[in-house]
Amino acid sequence: MTDLEQIWKAIDEKFDRDEEAEIEHPLKLPDHVADAAAELLAATFSDDDLPPDLQHSKYVIRERLNTGGQSEIYLAERSDGVYRKTVVIKIMSRRHELEAMREAFMREMQLLADLTHPGIVQIIDGGVSDDAQPWLVLEYIEGQELSAYCKENAPDARAIVELFLKICEALRFVHLQGVVHKDLKAANVMIRVINGVPWPVIIDFGIALEAAVRKTDPDAPVFGTRGYSAPEQISGEAVDHRADIYSLGMMLAQVLAGDSVDNIGLLSARERESLLKSKGISNDLVQVIRNCTREAPGSRYQDVEALRTDLHHWLNDYPLAANRSRAFHVLAKTVRRHKLITAASLLVVVAAIASTYKYTTDVRELQQITRTEKNAGDALFNFMLTDLFDDLTRIGRVDLLRLTAERSLSRLNEQDPRTFNASSWLQSALAYINAGKVFDALEASKEALDAYAKAEQQIAQIADAPDLRREYLRTLASVNVLKSLTLTTDEQRAQMESSLHTAIDLSESLIADYPDESPDTLWEAHLQLGWHYMEYDEPGQALAHLDQAQEIAAAQVSSHEQRERHARWQANLSHSLQALAWYAFDYGQPEDAASAIDRAVELARNTLVEDDGDIEFLDNYRILLNHQSFISVDLGRVRSAEESVTEAIRVGEQLALMAPTNRKYQRELSYSHTTRGELAESQGDLQTALAHYQQSLAISRSIASDDPDGFSSANDLAIDLISSANVLSALGFSEEAEAQWAEAVRVMRPVHQSEPGNKYYSFSLAVPLIQLGEYEEAQPLIESIRGSGMDDDVFQTLLSDHGLD
Amino acid sequence: MDAPDLTELINTEQSKLSADQQHDVEAVYQQLKQIARVQRFKISNHGLNTTSLVNEAWLKTHSGNKTFNDRRHFFAYCALAMRHILLDQARRNKLLTYVDDERTLDGQPVYRQSDFLLDLERQLVRLGAYSKRLEQIFTMKFYGEMTFDDIADYLDVSRRTVVRDWKKAQAMLSVALGAPDR
C-alpha cells in the first residue's frame, strides 16, 4: 500500500467516525467543474472560433484518430499564418528517464527527419516535453491503409507486386541511411493515390525511435508485432535491416492472402505456403516470400535490392535470382564435368526456361531496370548463349536457342543506355555477339549481321575506357571474325575481307600490348582469310595467310603445357594443315596434300588422347579422315582410302550414338558410307557397296524427312537412291532398282522446278529419268548438264548405255 | 445501463458499449456541445452552468430514447460524458504545449486549467481503484453537478452517505493533488 493510500484510508476512517471531520491542511477543491475550469469549459464548447488563449498556438487539433497502439494520435492543422497544412501529431508512450532518453530520441528523430522520400512519411517536428513526453509532428497521408486499399480495390498479384516494388524502393532508401524500421506491417503502410496511381508510404517509425531510445535502458521490453516481427526481434537479439525484409515478406504474404487469414505470420511456413498456393499464388512468388521469411537472417535476401530484383524478375517472368545462382551454378558445373551426358538433359532445362520467358513492354517498368538487374540478366543470357551454345552446337541443337537469342535481343533493345557504365556496354556487346552466333548457326544471316552490328556499336562506347582497352580490342576483333563467317555471298566478298583484315590488325595490337593474350582470334582470322582467298582463286594471298595460321598454331602447341589448351591448339593446328592440304590439292602437289592431311589426322588423333571424349575433337578427327580418304582416292591409294573411311565410319557411328540429333554429324557419316560404297563398287565388290549405299540412304531418308523443304537434303537422298538403285540393278534386282529411281524422280522434280538452273539438281533428276527410260523428260536436262562440268565419265557411260550420246 | 456499469465505462474502451449505447454516446456528446454553444451566448463570460446544460439535453433526448430509462440515469451518464469531453480537450491542449515551441502557451488559463484536469483525472482513476463509489459520486457531483438527492436515488443509498462520500472524495483528492507522487 502506498503512502497515499494509507492517508486515504485514514481519511476514510476519520469521516466514517465523524461526518463533520476536518482534514489537516486540506487543499480546497472546487465544487464544480465550472468553477475549476471555466475557461477550458468555454473553450471546449466553443465552435471553431478559437478562444484568445488558443490562438497563440500554431496548431489546431481537429480530431483524435483511432489508435490501437501505445501512442495517441491526433489530426491537426498547422498554420504559420501563410498557409495551412494538415498534420498528424503523435504522442508516444512515456516510460523512460528523461535525460537519458531525450538525447537518443532527438538524434534518431533527426535521422528520420533526414529521410526525405515520397515513400516515407515526413517528420515535420518532434521533441520531448519537460515531463518526458516524446512527441512527433508528421506529414498527414491522405489515403487508406494498405490492407483497406487492397480490400477495396482487389488488386491482382501483379499489381500487388508493383506496390511492393515501390515499398522496396522506399525501404532501400531507409536502410541506406542506416535506419531499420522494425515494425513493418500492412497497418504501417498507407496508400496515397495520385492521378489514379497508388503510391505506398511507409509510416510509423515509432519502434525505430523506441529502439534508439531503449539503448539507454537495456531492460526495457522489445516491441514489434507478432507474426510480422522477425524471430531475432521477438527473442530480443540484435536486429539489422534483414528483420525488415522478414516483415516485408510476411506483409506481402498477408496482402496476397487477403481476408482469408487474420495474421498469416502466425501460421507455420508450410501452412502459409499451402494457403498462398490455394489462392493461386505462383510458386515463384511463394519462393520470394520464403526467401524473405527464413528463420536465420543469413538465409534471407541479404538486402532489399536483392528482394526488389526478384520481384522485378517475377513481374517480367524471368527466373528468380535467388534460385538462379544455385541452379545454374550446379548446371554449369555438371556440364563442365560431363559434357556429353548432361548436354541432352540440359535441353529439357533450356526448353523449360525458354518457354517461360515472357516480356513486358511496360516502358515505365523498364526504365526502372537498374544496372544491377541488367548485368544479372545479361549474365544469365550470356551463360545460356555461350556455355549452352557450345554444348548444343556439339549435339546439333542450336535451334533450341533461337527463342532465347531473340529474347536476349529484345531485352537488350529495351534497356535504357542512360543507366550504362563501361562494363554495361561491354556486357551488352557480348550479349549481342552471343545472339549473333546463335542466328548464324541457324543460318539466319541477316539477324546475325544485325546483332553483330549492334555489338560493334556497343563496343564503340568503350573505345576510350582505359581500363577496358584489352576487352575492347579482343571483343572488336572477335566480332569481326564472326561477321566474316556470316558474310558468305559473292556480294559480301569485299566486306568479308575487310572484316578479317580488321580482325587481324586489332588482334595484332592486342597481342603487342598484352603479350600474354592468347592469339585465338588472330589465328582464326588468318585461317578464314586463307580459305577465303582459295575460294576466290587467289593462291598467293591464300598461302600467306594459311602459313601464318599454321605458324601461330604450331607455336601455341609447343608453348602450351596445360592439357586442355594444348589439345585445343593441336586441333587448331590440324585445321590449319587441313586448309593447307586443300591448298596443295588445288594449287600444288597432290603429294603435299596427302602429307598435310596425314599430319592433320595425326594431330586430331592426339587431341582425342589428351581430351578423351570431347565430341568436337572427335568430329574434327572424323572429318579429317573423310578428307584423307578423298585425297587418297584421288591419288589412287585405294587401300589407304579404305582404311581412312572405315575408321571414319567407326568414329561416325560413335558420334551418332553420342549426339543422335546432330544432323551435321549424320550427313558426315552418310558421306563416309557413300565413299566406302564407291570404293567397294570400283573394286567390283557390289554386295559391300550396296550395304554402305543403303546405310547412307537410311540416313539421308531420315534427314530429308526432318527437313522436308530442304533442297540439299532432297538432293542427298536422290543421290543415295541412285547409287543404291544402280548397284541393285547390276545385281539383277531390277524391280527394286526401278522403284528407287522412281522415288529419286519424285524427290527431285519439285526441287528442279524450283531451281531449274542448278546443275546438281538437274543431274540428280536426269540420271534416274534416263535409267527409267523417260528420255523425253531427260533430254533438256542432258543438254544443260553437257558442258557444266557434271558430265563425267560415269555420266557419259550412262548416256551411251542408253544410246543417248 | 445499470448503475454499476456507468463507473466501469469511464475506464473502458468505448468499443465495449453496445451499438445502441454507442449511438447514445455520440448523441449526448453532440447535444451537450450544441446546447453549450447556445448557452454561452446567454451566460456570457462566467463559464457554463452544466446543470442547465444537462437538463436541456435531457429534455431534448428524452423522447424516444430507449437506453436511458430515467432522468437520473441520464444525468449520471452526462456526468461521465462531461468528464470525457473535458479530459479530451485538456489532453489536446496539453499536446499543444508540447508541440508548440512557443512556451508562452504554458501560462495561459486554458492550459493551466487543462493541467489541473489532467492531474485530477490521474488521481480520480486511482481513487476509483480505491473505491468505485467515491469515484462515481465525485464524478456525478463535480462534472455533472447533480444534486445529492439525485445521486442518492441513482445509487440507491442514503443522502447522508452521498454527502459523506463527497466530502471524503474531495479530501482524498485534495491530498493526492497536493502530494507529489510521481
Side-chain angles (χ1 to χ4, degrees):
Chain A
M1 193 180 283
T2 64
D3 292 348
L4 182 67
E5 278 165 3
Q6 281 177 356
I7 297 169
W8 279 357
K9 204 164 164 56
I11 294 170
D12 207 351
E13 285 160 1
K14 198 169 178 182
F15 274 99
D16 281 345
R17 286 193 305 272
D18 173 13
E19 286 177 23
E20 303 304 318
E22 293 295 328
I23 306 298
E24 285 171 50
H25 317 296
L27 289 165
K28 180 66 183 148
L29 203 60
D31 282 351
H32 304 293
V33 67
D35 299 336
E39 304 280 341
L40 176 65
L41 206 52
T44 304
F45 290 104
S46 70
D47 199 1
D48 39 15
D49 293 330
L50 287 176
D53 280 0
L54 292 177
Q55 286 168 5
H56 290 289
S57 175
K58 58 187 173 191
Y59 293 101
V60 182
I61 310 287
R62 286 295 170 214
E63 61 178 300
R64 185 172 177 183
L65 298 176
N66 191 22
T67 155
Q70 301 125 349
S71 49
E72 294 175 42
I73 300 174
Y74 295 88
L75 196 60
E77 238 168 52
R78 183 193 154 109
S79 173
D80 57 5
V82 180
Y83 72 100
R84 289 194 159 209
K85 182 183 171 118
T86 305
V87 296
V88 168
I89 297 177
K90 178 168 172 174
I91 309 295
M92 300 179 60
S93 60
R94 165 182 19 196
R95 52 173 112 65
H96 306 289
E97 286 305 310
L98 176 61
E99 282 316 314
M101 175 186 73
R102 192 195 300 272
E103 197 189 332
F105 181 88
M106 295 306 282
R107 201 184 320 115
E108 186 69 8
M109 199 191 71
Q110 185 57 52
L111 207 54
L112 295 180
D114 289 342
L115 294 177
T116 309
H117 188 282
I120 299 164
V121 69
Q122 180 67 43
I123 294 186
I124 295 166
D125 201 356
V128 182
S129 72
D130 291 342
D131 51 351
Q133 184 71 64
W135 56 271
L136 289 171
V137 179
L138 301 159
E139 170 193 20
Y140 172 63
I141 310 295
E142 189 160 11
Q144 290 172 296
E145 276 178 16
L146 177 61
S147 36
Y149 172 85
C150 290
K151 200 170 175 177
E152 195 176 306
N153 296 277
D156 61 9
R158 293 187 67 82
I160 289 172
V161 167
E162 278 171 14
L163 278 178
F164 272 75
L165 276 173
K166 291 175 189 163
I167 298 174
C168 283
E169 186 65 47
L171 193 60
R172 192 175 71 105
F173 182 78
V174 172
H175 289 170
L176 281 174
Q177 313 292 316
V179 177
V180 183
H181 187 284
K182 294 196 184 74
D183 197 19
L184 283 175
K185 53 183 170 181
N188 281 341
V189 174
M190 300 285 293
I191 301 295
R192 175 158 51 187
V193 177
I194 302 169
N195 290 332
V197 180
W199 294 93
V201 182
I202 301 174
I203 61 165
D204 202 346
F205 284 80
I207 302 278
L209 277 170
E210 278 289 338
V213 170
R214 203 173 309 114
K215 286 176 195 150
T216 63
D217 182 3
D219 296 331
V222 180
F223 296 98
T225 304
R226 248 160 65 77
Y228 284 96
S229 297
E232 68 269 22
Q233 189 174 348
I234 299 282
S235 63
E237 292 160 39
V239 301
D240 60 18
H241 63 279
R242 293 173 296 186
D244 281 352
I245 289 174
Y246 181 96
S247 307
L248 200 57
M250 220 42 106
M251 185 162 123
L252 177 58
Q254 180 69 60
V255 172
L256 287 169
D259 276 346
S260 55
V261 59
D262 283 343
N263 188 337
I264 201 166
L266 299 180
L267 300 180
S268 72
R270 186 189 297 260
E271 291 168 329
R272 182 159 57 242
E273 290 179 7
S274 69
L275 173 69
L276 289 171
K277 284 176 183 167
S278 76
K279 295 286 236 168
I281 305 303
S282 79
N283 284 343
D284 273 0
L285 209 46
V286 172
Q287 178 70 45
V288 170
I289 290 166
R290 189 184 307 149
N291 291 339
C292 288
T293 57
R294 293 190 196 276
E295 288 278 311
S299 309
R300 297 175 202 147
Y301 289 111
Q302 290 301 291
D303 50 41
V304 180
E305 192 58 37
L307 166 60
R308 205 170 73 94
T309 302
D310 259 4
L311 286 177
H312 198 91
H313 281 174
W314 181 83
L315 213 50
N316 291 290
D317 295 306
Y318 299 145
L320 301 182
N323 298 343
R324 179 203 305 152
S325 52
R326 196 166 42 221
F328 278 85
H329 181 64
V330 172
L331 263 182
K333 253 168 79 176
T334 322
V335 172
R336 256 177 264 130
R337 275 203 218 108
H338 312 287
K339 281 186 171 159
L340 294 172
I341 303 160
T342 48
S345 60
L346 258 178
L347 294 186
V348 179
V349 178
V350 174
I353 294 168
S355 65
T356 55
Y357 270 48
K358 188 162 100 273
Y359 279 77
T360 171
T361 52
D362 187 331
V363 173
R364 192 169 46 75
E365 281 298 336
L366 285 165
Q367 282 170 346
Q368 286 178 3
I369 294 183
T370 63
R371 202 179 295 149
T372 320
E373 282 161 357
K374 166 192 156 44
N375 288 344
D378 287 358
L380 172 64
F381 276 114
N382 281 342
F383 164 73
M384 303 212 312
L385 296 179
T386 52
D387 290 22
L388 287 185
F389 177 81
D390 288 347
D391 284 310
L392 290 171
T393 306
R394 288 162 211 267
I395 59 163
R397 289 304 307 270
V398 180
D399 55 307
L400 287 169
L401 285 177
R402 176 186 274 275
L403 200 59
T404 311
E406 282 166 358
R407 276 167 181 169
S408 174
L409 284 189
S410 65
R411 185 184 136 77
L412 287 166
N413 289 336
E414 283 159 350
Q415 288 172 358
D416 185 349
R418 284 171 300 182
T419 67
F420 284 17
N421 59 12
S423 67
S424 309
W425 287 112
L426 181 65
Q427 186 78 264
S428 288
L430 293 174
Y432 277 115
I433 289 174
N434 287 330
K437 279 161 78 175
V438 172
F439 289 127
D440 183 52
L442 299 172
E443 293 174 4
S445 310
K446 192 186 169 304
E447 285 89 338
L449 288 173
D450 285 350
Y452 293 144
K454 279 277 191 185
E456 282 184 298
Q457 286 169 20
Q458 314 287 312
I459 300 165
Q461 300 288 335
I462 55 166
D464 300 324
D467 47 339
L468 288 177
R469 173 90 188 141
R470 188 173 187 163
E471 285 75 11
Y472 167 75
L473 290 170
R474 181 197 291 150
T475 315
L476 194 54
S478 117
V479 81
N480 270 290
V481 169
L482 289 166
K483 235 167 63 176
S484 77
L485 298 177
T486 311
L487 296 163
T488 47
T489 66
D490 288 352
E491 299 87 70
Q492 292 165 333
R493 179 184 167 180
Q495 224 181 321
M496 181 197 181
E497 269 179 44
S498 90
S499 276
L500 287 172
H501 283 296
T502 308
I504 286 171
D505 291 346
L506 288 164
S507 302
E508 278 170 350
S509 18
L510 176 64
I511 290 163
D513 290 355
Y514 307 96
D516 61 326
E517 178 77 24
S518 175
D520 303 63
T521 308
L522 183 61
W523 166 78
E524 196 173 359
H526 279 303
L527 182 68
Q528 292 302 333
L529 260 180
W531 284 113
H532 173 81
Y533 284 124
M534 278 202 277
E535 194 177 340
Y536 288 98
D537 219 10
E538 294 185 38
Q541 294 265 40
L543 186 59
H545 286 290
L546 293 179
D547 281 343
Q548 287 264 15
Q550 192 208 352
E551 268 172 42
I552 292 167
Q556 290 295 318
V557 168
S558 53
S559 74
H560 276 290
E561 309 237 313
Q562 192 214 344
R563 228 175 194 211
E564 209 176 299
R565 292 300 296 163
H566 188 251
R568 165 61 55 199
W569 277 109
Q570 287 201 76
N572 288 351
L573 183 54
S574 77
H575 288 310
S576 316
L577 288 165
Q578 178 192 20
L580 279 167
W582 286 107
Y583 175 83
F585 190 84
D586 285 347
Y587 302 107
Q589 299 301 315
E591 287 298 334
D592 293 343
S595 71
I597 200 80
D598 289 351
R599 278 178 63 208
V601 169
E602 194 54 39
L603 282 162
R605 194 179 291 126
N606 284 345
T607 62
L608 298 184
V609 177
E610 286 181 19
D611 196 339
D612 186 29
D614 188 309
I615 199 166
E616 190 191 338
F617 291 159
L618 200 56
D619 181 40
N620 179 45
Y621 174 54
R622 183 265 303 273
I623 290 171
L624 288 170
L625 285 170
N626 272 342
H627 290 196
Q628 190 180 37
S629 88
F630 184 94
I631 290 170
S632 297
V633 168
D634 195 78
L635 288 168
R637 298 173 182 169
V638 176
R639 171 66 49 200
S640 134
E642 213 175 278
E643 274 170 21
S644 305
V645 79
T646 305
E647 172 76 349
I649 289 170
R650 186 189 68 78
V651 177
E653 279 166 352
Q654 198 181 333
L655 282 164
L657 285 175
M658 287 167 146
T661 56
N662 192 326
R663 206 177 280 163
K664 214 179 106 215
Y665 291 2
Q666 291 169 356
R667 279 213 175 103
E668 203 66 35
L669 176 58
S670 148
Y671 175 80
S672 300
H673 278 301
T674 307
T675 308
R676 181 74 184 79
E678 281 168 2
L679 279 168
E681 197 182 351
S682 71
Q683 290 168 298
D685 182 355
L686 294 186
Q687 289 295 345
T688 306
L690 183 62
H692 283 287
Y693 285 147
Q694 288 190 335
Q695 295 254 29
S696 179
L697 176 59
I699 296 170
S700 297
R701 262 195 218 289
S702 126
I703 293 175
S705 75
D706 282 349
D707 181 24
D709 301 323
F711 291 174
S712 74
S713 303
N715 192 53
D716 288 349
L717 174 58
I719 294 288
D720 283 337
L721 284 166
I722 293 164
S723 302
S724 162
N726 289 350
V727 177
L728 280 169
S729 168
L731 286 168
F733 298 103
S734 43
E735 246 178 71
E736 288 84 348
E738 275 177 26
Q740 291 194 344
W741 283 323
E743 190 185 347
V745 169
R746 279 200 303 280
V747 168
M748 287 314 293
R749 260 195 200 123
V751 176
H752 169 71
Q753 270 169 18
S754 300
E755 275 192 37
N758 186 307
K759 58 184 180 182
Y760 300 103
Y761 300 161
S762 304
F763 181 87
S764 303
L765 180 56
V767 174
L769 285 171
I770 294 166
Q771 294 283 29
L772 290 167
E774 310 273 355
Y775 304 136
E776 205 174 312
E777 192 183 343
Q779 202 56 52
L781 296 169
I782 295 166
E783 298 306 321
S784 74
I785 290 167
R786 283 205 173 104
S788 72
M790 296 293 290
D791 51 343
D792 56 1
D793 293 349
V794 180
F795 189 66
Q796 291 300 339
T797 314
L798 180 69
L799 289 181
S800 64
D801 285 354
H802 287 264
L804 294 168
D805 47 347
Chain B
M1 198 183 299
D2 297 327
D5 293 344
L6 272 175
T7 333
E8 300 263 335
L9 256 183
I10 198 103
N11 293 320
T12 48
E13 291 294 320
Q14 292 192 355
S15 58
K16 288 189 183 153
L17 297 173
S18 73
D20 278 350
Q21 284 170 336
Q22 276 190 48
H23 186 260
D24 286 333
V25 170
E26 288 293 313
V28 170
Y29 269 52
Q30 287 311 314
Q31 275 188 351
L32 287 177
K33 284 197 164 193
Q34 269 175 22
I35 296 162
R37 220 172 296 133
V38 177
Q39 283 202 5
R40 209 159 67 86
F41 291 110
K42 291 188 224 164
I43 305 172
S44 75
N45 264 344
H46 291 84
L48 291 166
N49 178 342
T50 54
T51 308
S52 67
L53 196 64
V54 172
N55 270 315
E56 199 172 332
W58 166 250
L59 290 177
K60 291 191 175 176
T61 333
H62 181 59
S63 49
N65 192 298
K66 285 179 185 122
T67 50
F68 301 109
N69 40 25
D70 66 34
R71 191 177 136 275
R72 279 179 290 278
H73 190 163
F74 179 78
F75 281 12
Y77 187 76
C78 280
L80 269 180
M82 191 64 77
R83 182 173 156 191
H84 268 289
I85 294 168
L86 288 172
L87 190 61
D88 188 43
Q89 186 65 36
R91 279 210 183 101
R92 294 180 184 200
N93 292 341
K94 187 64 187 169
L95 170 64
L96 289 184
T97 65
Y98 294 156
V99 300
D100 218 321
D101 44 18
E102 309 216 4
R103 297 274 158 184
T104 51
L105 290 181
D106 282 354
Q108 304 289 339
V110 166
Y111 297 107
R112 268 192 278 107
Q113 291 169 11
S114 297
D115 276 350
F116 167 72
L117 281 192
L118 287 169
D119 285 348
L120 179 63
E121 175 66 20
R122 259 192 298 281
Q123 301 310 331
L124 197 49
V125 171
R126 289 179 79 176
L127 184 64
Y130 178 83
S131 159
K132 259 187 188 158
R133 199 173 69 196
L134 290 181
E135 183 195 4
Q136 275 181 304
I137 289 172
F138 183 86
T139 303
M140 290 185 238
K141 183 75 187 138
F142 183 78
Y143 287 100
E145 296 179 16
M146 286 168 73
T147 65
F148 290 125
D149 289 333
D150 278 348
I151 297 172
D153 270 4
Y154 175 73
L155 290 178
D156 199 18
V157 294
S158 69
R159 185 180 192 278
R160 205 177 132 182
T161 303
V162 174
V163 173
R164 190 182 59 227
D165 280 356
W166 165 242
K167 281 185 179 169
K168 275 189 195 175
Q170 274 188 299
M172 288 176 180
L173 289 169
S174 288
V175 171
L177 288 169
D181 61 301
R182 279 184 273 141

